[in-house]
């Protein structure tokens, strides 16, 4: 009897996982097409009831997080928010190759209102990560300049991909190389700048 109950529990778990994956796949499909992302459209595309979608993902924010996680997983395990400056620099080739690998989806994420909503859902996590990563490098700057420099590090780690791909026909390895160079130049300047404001130019 115990064995039968365990089998039933395992079967229910597999069914739940299957439904969850169908919902996640429908999210990716809607995002790829640039369509509105809401519970009704997800349910229709996944072939499940609206209440089922709400049971797994109770609000709009809950839809955005797994969608972000699925996009990042498709780009590869090395595509993530960095923990240290060294990790950020070392991950550049992995990040930009990952974007190349999912070029269509990565373009949608960066160029549509739906993609922007997915990215903005990670705003707090993103800012916390890069603020921690850049803290030592920017510590001597005036407070406002610390934010500016930190924001630039974050931009160089992920953001130039679409512009450089579209307008310069560059690939991930090339983009990673030049962004790595730019980060290293910034770090060298910050190392000798001390508390000199950014507005006073490079040291």
């Amino acid at each position: 009897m115990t064995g039968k109950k365990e089998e039933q529990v395992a079967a229910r778990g597999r069914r739940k996982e299957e439904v969850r994956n169908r919902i996640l796949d429908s999210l990716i499909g809607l995002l790829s097409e640039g369509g509105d992302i809401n519970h009704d459209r997800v349910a229709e595309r996944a072939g499940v009831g609206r209440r089922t979608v709400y049971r797994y993902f109770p609000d709009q924010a809950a839809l955005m997080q797994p969608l972000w996680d699925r996009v990042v997983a498709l780009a590869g395990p090395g595509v993530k928010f960095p923990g240290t400056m060294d990790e950020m620099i070392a991950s550049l080739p992995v990040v930009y190759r990952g974007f190349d690998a999912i070029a269509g989806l990565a373009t949608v994420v960066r160029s549509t209102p739906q993609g922007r909503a997915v990215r903005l859902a990670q705003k707090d996590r993103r800012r916390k990560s890069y603020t921690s990563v850049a803290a030592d490098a920017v510590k001597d700057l005036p407070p406002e300049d610390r934010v500016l420099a930190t924001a630039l590090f974050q931009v160089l780690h992920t953001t130039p991909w679409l512009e450089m791909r579209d307008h310069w026909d560059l690939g991930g390895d090339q983009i990673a190389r030049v962004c790595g160079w730019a980060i290293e130049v910034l770090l060298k300047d910050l190392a000798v700048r001390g508390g000199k404001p950014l507005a006073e130019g490079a040291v």
Side-chain angles (χ1 to χ4, degrees):
M1 190 64 151
T2 302
K4 187 174 182 180
K5 284 185 178 179
E6 288 175 352
E7 288 177 12
Q8 290 172 339
V9 169
R12 280 197 297 271
R14 287 192 296 271
R15 284 194 296 274
K16 286 181 180 178
E17 188 63 21
E18 179 187 334
V19 170
R20 188 176 191 278
N21 285 331
R22 282 166 58 192
I23 293 170
L24 291 174
D25 288 343
S26 72
L27 281 166
I28 288 291
L30 289 170
L31 179 62
S32 297
E33 295 166 2
D36 289 337
I37 298 172
N38 57 54
H39 288 74
D40 289 335
R41 295 202 68 199
V42 170
E44 181 181 357
R45 189 179 183 103
V48 300
R50 184 170 180 266
R51 290 177 63 182
T52 298
V53 179
Y54 272 102
R55 189 162 59 247
Y56 284 87
F57 306 108
D59 54 35
Q60 190 70 10
L63 279 176
M64 293 297 104
Q65 184 61 53
L67 181 50
W68 171 263
D69 292 341
R70 180 60 68 94
V71 170
V72 169
L74 290 170
V79 180
K80 59 185 179 181
F81 295 140
T84 66
M85 183 63 72
D86 287 343
E87 183 182 312
M88 184 176 78
I89 295 169
S91 69
L92 284 166
V94 176
V95 168
Y96 286 115
R97 286 176 197 151
F99 291 171
D100 280 352
I102 59 164
L105 189 56
T107 298
V108 168
V109 167
R110 296 194 171 278
S111 61
T112 67
Q114 296 80 9
R116 186 167 182 266
V118 173
R119 285 179 49 76
L120 285 175
Q122 304 303 312
K123 181 176 178 178
D124 290 342
R125 288 178 62 204
R126 184 177 291 107
R127 289 184 66 155
K128 183 177 180 181
S129 172
Y130 288 98
T131 297
S132 175
V133 164
D136 188 59
V138 304
K139 66 181 185 300
D140 295 326
L141 292 174
E144 182 182 353
D145 285 358
R146 273 183 243 144
V147 175
L148 295 175
T150 299
L152 186 55
F153 281 125
Q154 182 259 307
V155 165
L156 289 169
H157 187 231
T158 60
T159 307
W161 176 81
L162 185 58
E163 286 294 311
M164 297 179 83
R165 177 185 172 90
D166 281 357
H167 297 287
W168 294 94
D169 302 317
L170 297 178
D173 284 328
Q174 294 168 301
I175 299 169
R177 181 155 55 96
V178 73
C179 288
W181 165 74
I183 290 171
E184 294 286 2
V185 168
L186 289 172
L187 288 172
K188 287 175 184 176
D189 178 81
L190 288 168
V192 297
R193 171 176 294 276
K196 182 180 176 182
L198 298 178
E200 294 185 21
V203 175

